[in-house]
Amino acid sequence: MPRNLFKPSFGTYPHLLVGRDQLIDEFEDTFDGILDPAGLTVLLSGQRGMGKTVLLDAYRRAAEGAGWLVITESSSSGLLERLTHDHLPRLLQEHSSKPPAQLGSASGTIGPLGGSASWTERYPAESTLRSQITELTDALQADGKGLVITIDEVQAADIEDLRKLGEIIQYGRREERLLAFAAAGLSTPIEELLDHPGATFLRRAEHHPIGRVSRAEVRAALAGTIADSGHEIDVHGLDLAADAVDGYPFMIQLVGYHTLKAHTTAGPITTEDVDTGIAAARRRLGRHVHTPALRPLSSVDRTYLLAMAQDDGPSRTGKIAERMGVSAQYAGEYRRRLIRDGIIESAGHGQVRFTIPYTADHLREHAAHNALEGLVDEDT
Ligand SMILES: Nc1ncnc2c1ncn2[C@@H]1O[C@H](COP(=O)(O)OP(=O)(O)OP(=O)(O)O)[C@@H](O)[C@H]1O
Ligand SMILES: [Mg+2]
């Protein structure tokens, strides 16, 4: 029975993860006894849909595969509370052989509730976190295993929580504990976060920007997932789909999913199926990726992008300044910011291109739409 194994939703591990072999090898090496200390603090940054959450999950899998314990968290408020009240007590109960009374006496502050009191009733949050992590990593270290904490959407973290956690990670490093930390988040806010004094420890992390994957890898992901779903596609259809994906991981899933959905007849997938799939994929891309990515930009940023959008491929920076009617230096300021924000990227000397495919089309369509809205407003 043919299926549809593409997974066009955020945070879902794909049927075939492509283009990240080197990074995943590094993750595995970190936990396979090679233990390059650099790999013990990892930061993944990138634009929406590049596959950061999925890679964080790959980091978790590598750690669990080697027998480490993993705490998976997002940066919603109350992060520290959840660590000290929920995750760590649970893991300590499962993995620390010390009875609770002994845990308490380790710091000599057994309260009136005695041995039956929970950790958090006896210690304030910060010292609790450090003692709990010390206790747990001590217990695990005997078997050569450690603890991993992963935090997704780290740009949304409470900076104070992050500072406290960072201090404990740094202590852990100094004490050569088997304690690893991996975080992922959006490019721009991560850049801002790295400038923040509360996030010093993140500046020391192994920072991997997560970008597009190659065309060969896109084809491999499409062909493999289609075959495993029980369908057939010819080389022409596959090329058409791979061109539409343009190296963007989320689009592999979108194009694949909607192509299979459009394929309702018996026999191999047709060119029409692929065309229908691409059109549906692009509509969803606009809604879920372009609109949220472009929303926070200033009007000058948009003017820069619109000047770029006149080209079909990469744009020459001199040409952009000319179209904007400004100096190359002035345009350069915006270029730097937009590169930092992950909206555009360098495409060789003096050239830039959009990071996410179809941004130009989206901008053009919306420019027309906005202009029309303006006309309607004037008429009414
Ligand atoms: N290397 C890859 N190969 C195939 N599919 C991928 C790959 N990376 C990500 N995907 C798919 O792309 C989609 C987006 O991935 P993910 O949710 O990890 O992105 P993200 O970078 O975390 O996005 P956001 O910033 O919105 O959280 C998912 O459907 C995922 O399965
Ligand atoms: Mg994500």
Side-chain angles (χ1 to χ4, degrees), residues 33-240:
I34 296 176
L35 278 179
D36 175 3
L40 290 178
T41 317
V42 170
L43 178 62
L44 308 168
S45 70
Q47 278 292 90
R48 275 182 78 82
M50 288 295 175
K52 303 176 295 294
T53 298
V54 153
L55 282 168
L56 210 53
D57 207 30
Y59 191 85
R60 173 188 66 81
R61 288 170 187 228
E64 282 180 351
W68 285 44
L69 298 185
V70 184
I71 295 174
T72 308
E73 261 296 344
S74 72
S75 293
S76 49
S77 67
L79 169 65
L80 224 58
E81 291 276 303
R82 287 194 299 281
L83 288 174
T84 52
H85 279 72
D86 173 18
H87 295 292
L88 285 160
R90 178 174 46 81
L91 293 176
L92 274 166
Q93 195 163 25
E94 288 166 13
H95 298 276
S96 171
S97 52
K98 285 191 186 177
Q102 210 178 331
L103 290 179
S105 63
S107 71
T109 53
I110 296 183
L113 293 171
S116 63
S118 75
W119 269 98
T120 44
E121 281 167 298
R122 297 195 210 114
Y123 306 99
E126 209 173 338
S127 62
T128 307
L129 183 62
R130 190 171 172 200
S131 329
Q132 287 174 329
I133 286 180
T134 301
E135 185 62 46
L136 188 59
T137 47
D138 275 350
L140 296 173
Q141 200 132 1
D143 298 327
K145 313 291 186 208
L147 172 70
V148 178
I149 299 174
T150 75
I151 311 258
D152 203 0
E153 306 287 345
V154 69
Q155 78 277 348
D158 176 346
I159 195 76
E160 193 49 24
D161 277 2
L162 218 51
R163 188 190 61 74
K164 289 176 183 166
L165 192 58
E167 261 173 28
I168 286 157
I169 307 276
Q170 301 212 59
Y171 282 131
R173 199 175 241 204
R174 253 174 264 143
E175 294 170 356
E176 297 189 341
R177 294 187 174 279
L178 297 182
L179 174 63
F181 176 82
L186 289 171
S187 317
T188 320
I190 287 248
E191 293 297 335
E192 283 162 12
L193 186 62
L194 288 173
D195 287 337
H196 197 285
T200 325
F201 83 109
L202 280 182
R203 286 203 285 276
R204 305 209 179 106
E206 185 94 330
H207 187 170
H208 300 283
I210 306 302
R212 295 193 202 206
V213 298
S214 76
R215 190 171 192 280
E217 287 150 348
V218 168
R219 283 179 109 258
L222 289 169
T225 312
I226 288 171
D228 291 348
S229 298
H231 295 281
E232 273 176 59
I233 187 165
D234 64 18
V235 174
H236 180 60
L238 195 58
D239 281 339
L240 205 61

Side-chain angles (χ1 to χ4, degrees), residues 236-290:
H236 180 60
L238 195 58
D239 281 339
L240 205 61
D243 285 341
V245 169
D246 206 5
Y248 183 52
F250 184 36
M251 200 65 172
I252 297 175
Q253 305 304 322
L254 282 174
V255 169
Y257 181 84
H258 291 287
T259 296
L260 289 190
K261 199 173 162 202
H263 177 60
T264 50
T265 53
I269 291 166
T270 65
T271 308
E272 289 73 44
D273 297 336
V274 179
D275 283 336
T276 309
I278 292 170
R282 285 185 51 177
R283 282 195 296 276
R284 278 164 185 76
L285 187 67
R287 201 176 318 138
H288 297 295
V289 176
H290 292 131

Side-chain angles (χ1 to χ4, degrees), residues 300-312:
V300 187
D301 288 332
R302 280 163 205 264
T303 310
Y304 190 100
L305 297 178
L306 274 169
M308 272 180 77
Q310 294 181 30
D311 299 310
D312 283 328

